[in-house]
Structures are given as C-alpha cells and as structure tokens.
Amino acid sequence: MADVCRGHKCYAVWGKAQRCKNCVSSKAFEKHGQMSKLEFADDSIYQIISKYVEVSGKPYALEMIYKDKDGVLLGAYGKSDFMDNIVNYNRQLYHDALTGAYNRRYYEEQAKSMRYIEAVAMLDANNFKSINDRYGHAAGDLVLKAICDSIRKCIRSTDVLVRLGGDEFVLLMTNIPKTIFTNKLEEIRKSVSEITIDGYPDVKCSVAIGGVFGIQPIEKALAEADKLMYLDKHAKRDFL
C-alpha cells in the first residue's frame, strides 16, 4: 500500500499513535480513485472521503472530512445505536463467525498491507480431519474455537490472529524480539496441548507451527512460515 503520510501524522487527528490500518488515502492513491470511511473521535462521527488528484503533474491524495453535526449520518438511529451497528457490521465483515478471529477477507484487504510486521507464524491443527470423521463436525467446531481461544490467551491485544480457512491460522506480530517470539510460539503449543473439550474427553488438541522473523513482505514471510509449519508436522521444528 502506498505511503502518503510522508512525515505528516494525519492519524494523530484521530488520537492514534500509528498509521490507520484502514487508510483510505493510501488506497485511493494506489488505485487512482476515490475511497471513503467513517471514523469515531471524541464521541463524534466523521465521514472521510479521499480522492486521488494530480496538481502540476504531481500525484496527491486529497482528504475531505465531514463532521456529522446535524445527525445526517445517524438517520433514524440514535448515536449509540448507529455506532453499535457500525461496530457490528465491521465485526461481521472481518471476523470469523465461529472462532472470533479475523477472517481471510481481513487478511487480504487489510493485514497484507500492514507495515512493520516483524514476526509471522502459521498454525495448523493436527489430526483435525480425523477428529471430524470420528466425532463429527460439532466436535471439530469446538476444537477450532478452543484452539483459537487458547492462542489468544498467549498473545497481546495488538497482535493479529487470522483464521485463513479450515484449521489454518496465521499470527502477525510487531514490536517483539526474536527470542520472545520463539518462546511465545512454544507457549502457544503448550497451551493448546492442555485443552480439554467438554463432552469429548478422548479428543487431544495440538498444533503444528512454523514461525519466521524479519522477512518482508508479509506474503513471502507467510510462504516461508507455511513451509516450516509442514516440517513441524514431521517433528522438524525450526525458526528463521
């Protein structure tokens, strides 16, 4: 994604310490088009419209901000109901309904463009097909949810956990030393191995993990982590 800030901390307007994950100006600049979004700040609602323009042959992203002073954006909703609807819509759009993790759409539209991701890990549930075949999909769903909950207990709120599909997850982390990252993955492995599933005492949970550090871009890091994850399924654990 194009970097249109160039030293100007526009995100500070919204009380943020770093660039917005959903930067419409970068998207408009990259696509040579127009993008829009809603932002909430100081209990107010703003509509941001960003448009690609060229001035004297130089490309710019022109950002226009509209504050909803008269309740036009709220329509028939009250402010709290409107904000709840937007939050719920965003959650449904970018979150996996079963596990609550981010979904593949979020990875494709948002995470792939994130900067400063230092550590990437691929995680895959072991023997998941066998669990589904032997105990049924209801048990498989419980296993996936339990694994996701177990992973989240081990990571920070700023880390990004994505369910790519099926029993595969990707973990994106920033501002973490390599040694701590490696230890964190082993903590996750141990936490998952201690899972117990109510009603299915014979089900044992475990994950294969492949982790890489300091590889850019994210797509390349993900490909390398995926290779290590499959090696881990054969008890060959490694970290780049």
Side-chain angles (χ1 to χ4, degrees):
M1 185 179 292
D3 184 1
V4 297
C5 295
R6 297 181 182 177
H8 299 289
K9 299 180 180 180
C10 57
Y11 46 79
V13 174
W14 311 112
K16 298 180 179 180
Q18 58 184 355
R19 170 181 165 172
C20 301
K21 293 180 180 178
N22 182 25
C23 179
V24 291
S25 289
S26 293
K27 292 181 180 179
F29 190 89
E30 185 176 15
K31 297 180 181 297
H32 289 201
Q34 179 173 306
M35 301 289 292
S36 65
K37 69 173 180 178
L38 296 178
E39 281 283 356
F40 303 98
D42 298 326
D43 203 31
S44 296
I45 302 172
Y46 299 83
Q47 182 181 23
I48 298 93
I49 302 174
S50 187
K51 184 175 182 179
Y52 175 86
V53 297
E54 292 187 2
V55 179
S56 300
K58 294 183 178 181
Y60 295 90
L62 176 64
E63 205 171 80
M64 297 161 283
I65 301 175
Y66 167 77
K67 183 177 181 181
D68 184 37
K69 296 180 179 179
D70 303 317
V72 175
L73 295 176
L74 298 180
Y77 299 100
K79 179 177 290 187
S80 60
D81 288 342
F82 178 82
M83 294 177 71
D84 287 343
N85 282 334
I86 291 296
V87 170
N88 289 334
Y89 173 77
N90 287 335
R91 178 168 294 278
Q92 293 172 12
L93 183 67
Y94 285 131
H95 285 79
D96 176 57
L98 174 64
T99 65
Y102 287 109
N103 57 22
R104 177 176 284 274
R105 181 170 186 168
Y106 179 83
Y107 174 78
E108 296 292 342
E109 295 183 2
Q110 303 290 338
K112 282 173 62 174
S113 301
M114 291 180 183
R115 296 172 179 265
Y116 314 119
I117 297 297
E118 295 169 328
V120 175
M122 279 289 299
L123 305 96
D124 185 89
N126 290 323
N127 304 315
F128 183 67
K129 184 178 184 303
S130 298
I131 293 173
N132 270 334
D133 292 343
R134 182 175 180 182
Y135 299 98
H137 290 283
D141 287 348
L142 290 175
V143 167
L144 287 179
K145 190 175 185 307
I147 288 175
C148 187
D149 290 344
S150 186
I151 295 172
R152 273 200 294 253
K153 290 177 182 178
C154 297
I155 63 178
R156 305 164 300 182
S157 60
T158 53
D159 298 328
V160 177
L161 179 63
V162 181
R163 183 187 178 193
L164 286 184
D167 59 344
E168 286 191 338
F169 295 86
V170 61
L171 177 61
L172 308 176
M173 309 178 83
T174 188
N175 294 324
I176 185 169
K178 183 177 179 180
T179 54
I180 294 180
F181 170 60
T182 303
N183 292 337
K184 183 62 65 175
L185 297 187
E186 290 306 315
E187 179 185 343
I188 290 172
R189 189 192 306 278
K190 183 176 183 296
S191 178
V192 170
S193 70
E194 295 172 350
I195 290 174
T196 57
I197 306 296
D198 290 342
Y200 301 92
D202 295 333
V203 171
K204 305 298 181 184
C205 298
S206 66
V207 287
I209 304 176
V212 297
F213 189 89
I215 296 180
Q216 295 289 340
I218 290 179
E219 292 95 326
K220 182 179 179 181
L222 189 65
E224 294 297 326
D226 190 56
K227 293 177 184 177
L228 294 177
M229 183 264 291
Y230 278 102
L231 287 176
D232 188 54
K233 281 188 174 290
H234 297 87
K236 296 179 181 178
R237 301 173 188 172
D238 195 12
F239 298 94
L240 293 182

